[in-house]
Amino acid sequence: MAQMTMIQAITDALSTELKNDEDVLVFGEDVGQNGGVFRATEGLQEEFGEERVFDTPLAESGIIGMSVGLSTQGFRPVPEIQFFGFVYEAMDAVSGQAARMRYRSGGRWHAPITIRSPFGGGVHTPELHADSLEGLMAQQPGLKVVIPSNPYDAKGLLISSIRENDPVIFLEHMKLYRSFREEVPEEEFTVDLGKANVKREGKDITLIAYGAMVHSSLKAAEELEKENIDAEVIDLRTVQPIDVDTIIESVMKTNRAVVVQEAQRQAGIAASIVSEIQERAILHLEAPVLRVTAPDTVYPFSQAEEVWLPNYEDIIEKAKQSINF
Amino acid sequence: MSFKSPLEGIDEKFEMIQILNEDGEIVNEDAMPDLSDEDLVEIMRRMVYTRVLDQRSIALNRQGRLGFYAPTAGQEASQIGSHFALEKEDFLLPAYRDVPQLIWHGLPLYQAFLFSRGHFHGNQMPEDVNAVSPQIIIGAQITQAAGVALGLKRRGKPNVAITYTGDGGASQGDFYEGINFAGAYQAPAIFVVQNNQFAISVPVEKQSAANTIAQKAAAVGVPGFLVDGMDVFAVYQVVKEARERAVNGDGPTLIETMTYRYGPHTMAGDDPTRYRSEDMNDKWEKRDPLVRFRKFLEGKDLWSEEKENEVIETAKEEIKAAIKKADGHDKQKVTDLISIMYEELPSNLKEQMEEYKEKESK
């Protein structure tokens, strides 16, 4: 075991898979000699060579389109989009092409591509770096969307994603890259895609979160405990497909739920979780399922992040609203 | 002082390459491709067959026995000539009008018809056919071709990726990105722009201020050639040379074939009389690739009316049999569509699979 930050766990997962499978290719803007703008690919080109880890021209559509082409030749591409706000440039290649490759060819071809990309607020980035766009991806049949909240999950989920034979969008929250360390096994291990994790058990209310909001939810749960409210916190880990079983089991126990996301209210995936709960467990609910989200504006100018981004206090407020309904 | 525009004289660098003129005469003996009599007859057979396929496809579409169809008449030299220069192991990324190349690359005719009708089996390329199904998103095939070519290079295979788009397609961002990536990696790709003068109703002059599409290759440091796309020899030879450069490690080539579609853009209600004149049609009909190649072959005593009729009859029979085979193919079920989404179904689709199995069993 070693103490790792999330970024180190990601590098470790990439290195593990580059070692395990000669068909794994890591590429993107500045991921080669430079080691990535966040050092996620540091040392990989040196260790595995330019044929395996390489820079690309600055063109997101080209990067993902090239990945689709490489897939037909038996490669397992792990491209990077430098910031997920740039995914618009590659939307056709991602949603119109990679996601549909198996279906459109009736299984003759497939696209075992893992698109890594940072996102997330709280670090005062310039425009279109921090936007939460997982909701766009979650609406595209053919994709899986993974968002780890800690170093252990990041390594296990990334290894699983790379081994997946269909495209995975792997979103890395920038604020979580180096915010804490935890024990991560040095040997290889996997965390199943599509499986949520109960981070804190509780009996009074279920808080469902992903990404940085997992930590805000855990902090809210600690504060709520002081007021004798016992919150269960679920980290989704995969936002498409959603682990409905874990959510419903929890809601049937607590009879109350709040879904927490950093994305705007009209975006993200909270609305679909609310739908799943009301379709499957309405008779178990003591209160409506509420949502903690950002306001429906464009992502804030960096100085306004603090007043705009949802935080643990917003979660406490909604939890109490549910309890007192 | 004033600087001289670098565009001055650029058109001279992209003069149209022609080998066979409209009268079926060889006008560029030095460039003549090395083709056996057998090859020559086979090329003509394929071009005639493809012309019949176009005529029959239009008729079948009008009868409602085919769905989406993009006419190909006029582009036989461009499509068949370029495809004839390839090897079976080369990888083909066609656009929606490039079904003939897919067929000659090995896609069974009935599957091409199923593609037209909208059935997934039409897109299930046989194992030995290195191709993806026709691309509807104009430009997407270009960036993918760069990836296929890089893949072939990394695998050390002596093969190329070839992809096609039209004159309108050369205005897309993905067109530029694809040829630029292939250039940056010196990947073995051949990019063919079939300039058939119109993108639906928009003439090529409205796409760009560039006088040729071939010269766009210069923007990415790749050789570009303008070819008479109604001349099967010129198309074949330029693609053949591009292929040789590519497999020798000398990178990609952009080829613009100057051609024309005699029919509408697609059979979905496009009416070319709204944007094309009779004069223009007459001018291009004089350049018909079949007419000039027929003259050439007849001059060498390699072709006759009898031979041509034989090809026409064979084509008609095979088309009839293929349509019948397509008719007999299983109808699609929702469970089929679910099963081809992922290798292993995610939880939502597992649930929906059960729902639809239940429905389909009733």
Side-chain angles (χ1 to χ4, degrees):
Chain A
M1 297 279 261
Q3 286 280 321
M4 289 187 200
T5 60
M6 193 164 92
I7 199 95
Q8 287 168 332
I10 287 164
T11 313
D12 192 41
L14 291 170
S15 167
T16 302
E17 287 311 276
L18 280 161
K19 224 171 278 164
N20 274 335
D21 185 346
E22 283 191 355
D23 293 328
V24 171
L25 302 177
V26 171
F27 51 89
E29 296 157 9
D30 309 290
V31 307
Q33 194 184 12
N34 188 44
V37 291
F38 290 104
R39 303 283 165 263
T41 54
E42 184 150 85
L44 297 180
Q45 188 180 70
E46 204 174 22
E47 188 178 352
F48 297 98
E50 265 189 71
E51 298 262 296
R52 307 283 308 283
V53 180
F54 53 95
D55 290 320
T56 63
L58 201 167
E60 286 75 16
S61 187
I63 292 170
I64 308 303
M66 181 172 81
S67 305
V68 174
L70 282 165
S71 297
T72 67
Q73 301 307 306
F75 287 101
R76 194 171 284 281
V78 189
E80 178 181 299
I81 294 181
Q82 201 159 62
F83 294 95
F84 206 56
F86 310 165
V87 74
Y88 297 117
E89 298 289 337
M91 276 301 280
D92 175 62
V94 176
S95 292
Q97 306 295 327
R100 299 165 65 102
M101 194 62 166
R102 186 183 291 277
Y103 175 91
R104 78 183 292 262
S105 67
R108 171 69 173 88
W109 304 107
H110 64 280
I113 300 169
T114 301
I115 300 173
R116 288 185 42 251
S117 190
F119 80 110
V123 289
H124 298 296
T125 49
E127 204 170 9
L128 273 166
H129 282 55
D131 294 55
S132 289
L133 303 173
E134 68 280 5
L136 294 177
M137 300 292 116
Q139 291 211 0
Q140 174 59 53
L143 299 177
K144 291 184 180 178
V145 186
V146 176
I147 305 183
S149 70
N150 58 71
Y152 180 91
D153 284 352
K155 178 171 174 181
L157 288 167
L158 183 52
I159 292 176
S160 292
S161 299
I162 294 172
R163 292 179 186 180
E164 184 78 13
N165 283 328
D166 290 295
V168 177
I169 311 295
F170 192 87
L171 297 175
E172 304 164 3
H173 200 292
M174 280 184 273
K175 201 179 174 188
L176 302 178
Y177 266 155
R178 292 186 178 86
S179 58
F180 65 100
R181 287 173 187 272
E182 73 178 12
E183 291 285 328
V184 179
E186 280 170 88
E187 64 274 14
E188 64 174 73
F189 66 95
T190 57
V191 172
D192 287 347
L193 305 188
K195 290 275 181 288
N197 187 21
V198 179
K199 295 287 280 188
R200 183 189 197 278
E201 290 196 21
K203 59 182 183 358
D204 296 331
I205 187 166
T206 303
L207 305 178
I208 302 151
Y210 58 96
M213 289 298 114
V214 171
H215 302 280
S216 306
S217 299
L218 287 168
K219 189 167 179 194
E222 263 174 50
E223 296 295 317
L224 287 164
E225 196 179 2
K226 292 174 191 162
E227 301 184 45
N228 287 323
I229 298 169
D230 188 13
E232 179 148 303
V233 178
I234 295 176
D235 178 356
L236 282 178
R237 300 198 288 201
T238 298
V239 302
Q240 180 59 41
I242 296 164
D243 182 357
V244 175
D245 290 348
T246 300
I247 293 170
I248 297 302
E249 195 186 325
S250 175
V251 171
M252 283 182 174
K253 178 175 71 175
T254 63
N255 312 112
R256 293 170 202 277
V258 172
V259 188
V260 186
Q261 69 180 21
E262 183 174 317
Q264 294 89 335
R265 198 170 181 82
Q266 72 186 53
I269 55 136
S272 69
I273 293 173
V274 176
S275 303
E276 295 290 351
I277 296 172
Q278 77 85 16
E279 277 186 25
R280 291 162 201 265
I282 195 161
L283 295 178
H284 295 266
L285 291 176
E286 295 286 346
V289 181
L290 302 176
R291 287 177 287 167
V292 174
T293 69
D296 285 331
T297 70
V298 167
Y299 191 87
F301 291 100
S302 63
Q303 292 211 323
E305 276 186 327
E306 211 169 297
V307 294
W308 190 91
L309 285 168
N311 60 28
Y312 78 98
E313 287 166 328
D314 300 320
I315 303 168
I316 292 169
E317 193 188 318
K318 289 281 174 178
K320 284 184 178 171
Q321 204 179 315
S322 171
I323 297 283
N324 299 324
F325 178 76
Chain B
M1 71 166 284
S2 60
F3 295 105
K4 189 179 145 198
S5 166
L7 289 176
E8 269 178 40
I10 191 168
D11 292 340
E12 290 154 33
K13 292 208 162 191
F14 297 93
E15 269 175 14
M16 192 161 79
I17 297 167
Q18 190 187 59
I19 296 174
L20 187 68
N21 73 10
E22 288 166 27
D23 300 321
E25 296 157 356
I26 300 299
V27 293
N28 190 346
E29 194 69 53
D30 295 342
M32 208 30 205
D34 182 20
L35 288 163
S36 66
D37 287 354
E38 224 173 24
D39 287 339
L40 296 175
V41 170
E42 177 60 15
I43 290 171
M44 186 62 182
R45 189 182 78 80
R46 290 185 184 190
M47 295 203 333
V48 171
Y49 194 113
T50 303
R51 180 67 61 90
V52 175
L53 178 62
D54 183 70
Q55 289 161 352
R56 292 301 304 140
S57 297
I58 287 171
L60 287 162
N61 169 281
R62 288 194 172 128
Q63 294 162 18
R65 300 188 72 195
L66 281 182
F68 173 76
Y69 181 68
T72 59
Q75 297 188 204
E76 292 85 355
S78 173
Q79 295 182 322
I80 307 305
S82 59
H83 181 264
F84 203 77
L86 304 178
E87 299 289 332
K88 180 81 180 159
E89 291 298 310
D90 292 339
F91 199 101
L92 171 63
L93 298 100
Y96 50 78
R97 203 181 301 281
D98 302 310
V99 175
Q101 295 95 305
L102 266 179
I103 292 168
W104 297 115
H105 213 51
L107 179 68
L109 199 49
Y110 84 97
Q111 282 187 276
F113 291 154
L114 285 173
F115 160 76
S116 163
R117 290 177 174 185
H119 191 299
F120 73 85
H121 182 53
N123 287 7
Q124 286 176 316
M125 294 296 143
E127 276 300 315
D128 66 335
V129 178
N130 292 301
V132 285
S133 50
Q135 181 58 249
I136 298 297
I137 301 301
I138 298 171
Q141 72 275 30
I142 317 272
T143 55
Q144 288 171 22
V148 173
L150 179 61
L152 291 167
K153 183 175 173 169
R154 290 285 160 87
R155 296 286 185 212
K157 289 193 180 164
N159 292 102
V160 300
I162 185 163
T163 189
Y164 297 82
T165 190
D167 39 299
S171 301
Q172 288 277 4
D174 270 1
F175 168 78
Y176 173 76
E177 287 186 31
I179 60 176
N180 186 52
F181 269 60
Y185 294 117
Q186 286 295 286
I190 301 173
F191 301 99
V192 182
V193 177
Q194 300 187 83
N195 179 354
N196 65 17
Q197 316 304 318
F198 287 92
I200 307 189
S201 66
V202 180
V204 63
E205 296 77 24
K206 290 194 177 166
Q207 294 291 342
S208 172
N211 287 334
T212 67
I213 294 167
Q215 75 192 62
K216 295 191 180 196
V220 297
V222 160
F225 296 93
L226 173 62
V227 183
D228 180 352
M230 308 300 258
D231 167 4
V232 74
F233 282 148
V235 175
Y236 172 86
Q237 185 59 23
V238 170
V239 173
K240 182 101 185 148
E241 288 176 15
R243 191 183 180 283
E244 275 162 22
R245 276 193 302 278
V247 296
N248 289 333
D250 295 329
T253 302
L254 176 68
I255 298 164
E256 175 184 7
T257 63
M258 195 64 91
T259 182
Y260 195 71
R261 60 167 158 84
Y262 294 139
H265 166 68
T266 69
M267 294 306 292
D270 175 41
D271 173 12
T273 61
R274 292 170 70 104
Y275 54 83
R276 277 199 311 224
S277 64
E278 278 298 316
D279 282 358
M280 192 171 199
N281 285 333
D282 290 348
K283 183 182 106 181
W284 282 94
E285 259 160 41
K286 286 195 188 94
R287 299 184 189 175
D288 190 323
L290 269 66
V291 171
R292 69 172 87 166
F293 195 46
R294 187 185 290 122
K295 279 184 190 156
F296 171 82
L297 289 182
E298 281 171 352
K300 294 193 74 160
D301 223 9
L302 288 170
W303 197 253
S304 62
E305 205 180 326
E306 195 189 348
K307 265 187 185 160
E308 184 147 336
N309 285 332
E310 217 173 281
V311 177
I312 293 168
E313 286 315 307
T314 306
K316 283 181 177 168
E317 271 166 40
E318 288 180 3
I319 290 164
K320 216 165 149 188
I323 275 287
K324 210 172 157 196
K325 192 167 177 188
D327 287 344
H329 202 79
D330 289 345
K331 284 207 170 73
Q332 298 168 106
K333 300 191 296 287
V334 175
T335 49
D336 296 328
L337 306 183
I338 290 175
S339 72
I340 53 178
M341 282 301 303
Y342 297 87
E343 181 178 52
E344 204 185 320
L345 293 184
S347 50
N348 55 327
L349 281 180
K350 272 187 192 147
E351 207 175 280
Q352 291 163 35
M353 183 68 121
E354 290 313 311
E355 271 174 46
Y356 282 94
K357 263 188 191 159
E358 172 81 21
K359 274 192 189 177
E360 290 166 7
S361 70
K362 280 175 191 162

